[in-house]
Amino acid sequence: MSQTIWVGAVAYDPKVVGIWEGMRRYFHEEARLPVEVVLFQSYEAQVAALLALPGEPLPRIDIAWNTNLAYIQADAWSDHRCRPIAMRDTDVGWATKIIAVTGGPVARLADLKSRILALGSRDSGHAAILPVYFLQREGLVEGKDYQTLRFNTDLGKHGDTGTSESEVVRAVLDGRADAGAIGTPFWNAVRSERLVPEGALTEIWTSRPYNHCMFTARTDLDPALEQQFARALFGMSYDNPTHRPVLEAEGLRQWIAPQLEAYAELREASAQQGFLTRPLA
């Protein structure tokens, strides 16, 4: 039997724990791959474990289920030696939406001048890092052309919980902010699940697309183990009634090979905003 592969994931509620119990069961019982899961409270701790050297007093993992920011950090801090393995089909083509009250004073991006923009957690690529970056490219500079109201909720989770995006929407609705930045998945949920009165909010701007999560291997993981892990992921089928609940719970229909080009803008934005400065040991 192959040696155990230690996989890290960040857990923030019982549903996430259940997803990883299902994944572990699939690896053990069907893929015949000895995978054990280490659950972390933050992506900072998970990236540290992925980059830990032998003998360091940290948990050491072989593979991390990273957000786009955590993947970029692991890549940068390993001198580009950490290896991307796989991502969800739903990790492709994310975007940031700027939303505002329908019929209000903000109907287009230029209307943000001298107004307040609500942002999610500062470590959220889609609800904070990229909005500031994209708006700067549009000629709108934070603190100069517009002010921000930030909701630094669940820092360390990189916006995964969606809590800060809920705060953004609430602030726009109650008038504390003139507009807000949220990711497309949350905006889709707002509309499909009718989280706000129908027609109350309008999207006034959409960013260029970018990608989200990535399974990332540590630098010295045996390539054969990495390939076994990837084959097991790619072997999951949405048409298989045993696989489907696990895939649906994790929000995908198919695992796909890494598509790396769409991380470039987050890489640049993260560098500009100090997120690629490695914490002191």
Side-chain angles (χ1 to χ4, degrees), residues 60-260:
R60 191 166 189 250
I61 57 174
D62 300 306
I63 294 170
W65 180 226
N66 280 328
T67 60
N68 44 10
L69 175 60
Y71 160 61
I72 285 169
Q73 289 174 329
D75 178 65
W77 297 340
S78 67
D79 294 324
H80 311 297
R81 292 183 296 121
C82 279
R83 301 187 298 273
I85 298 176
M87 55 197 294
R88 302 171 297 188
D89 53 358
T90 49
D91 284 316
V92 176
W94 278 50
T96 292
K97 300 281 187 181
I98 304 293
I99 59 166
V101 172
T102 303
V106 177
R108 56 197 180 103
L109 212 53
D111 296 334
L112 277 177
K113 282 269 190 174
S114 303
R115 294 190 180 275
I116 298 175
L117 175 70
L119 296 174
S121 295
R122 60 179 172 79
D123 59 5
S124 170
H126 54 279
I129 300 171
L130 281 168
V132 170
Y133 170 82
F134 284 128
L135 289 180
Q136 186 167 325
R137 290 181 58 172
E138 296 284 344
L140 293 167
V141 178
E142 181 187 8
K144 176 186 174 185
D145 299 302
Y146 65 96
Q147 303 301 315
T148 51
L149 174 62
R150 289 176 176 264
F151 295 97
N152 289 318
T153 312
D154 290 338
L155 288 174
K157 306 295 194 298
H158 294 189
D160 266 3
T161 67
T163 306
S164 66
E165 289 171 278
S166 295
E167 295 290 346
V168 166
V169 168
R170 192 173 294 116
V172 174
L173 287 172
D174 67 21
R176 284 174 292 155
D178 299 295
I182 59 176
T184 44
F186 193 80
W187 175 237
N188 292 339
V190 165
R191 293 183 299 171
S192 65
E193 299 173 22
R194 299 192 176 184
L195 301 181
V196 303
E198 188 171 356
L201 296 175
T202 300
E203 58 182 271
I204 66 163
W205 180 84
T206 302
S207 75
R208 289 165 52 88
Y210 50 86
N211 290 350
H212 202 246
C213 296
M214 179 71 73
F215 271 117
T216 314
R218 64 178 170 85
T219 60
D220 58 349
L221 179 63
D222 183 346
L225 288 177
E226 178 186 330
Q227 290 164 14
Q228 284 182 298
F229 184 83
R231 282 197 299 269
L233 287 177
F234 298 146
M236 298 184 80
S237 171
Y238 192 79
D239 295 328
N240 184 316
T242 303
H243 301 173
R244 181 178 293 186
V246 179
L247 295 173
E248 287 183 332
E250 184 54 36
L252 72 151
R253 294 178 67 94
Q254 181 183 12
W255 295 102
I256 62 174
Q259 299 185 26
L260 303 180

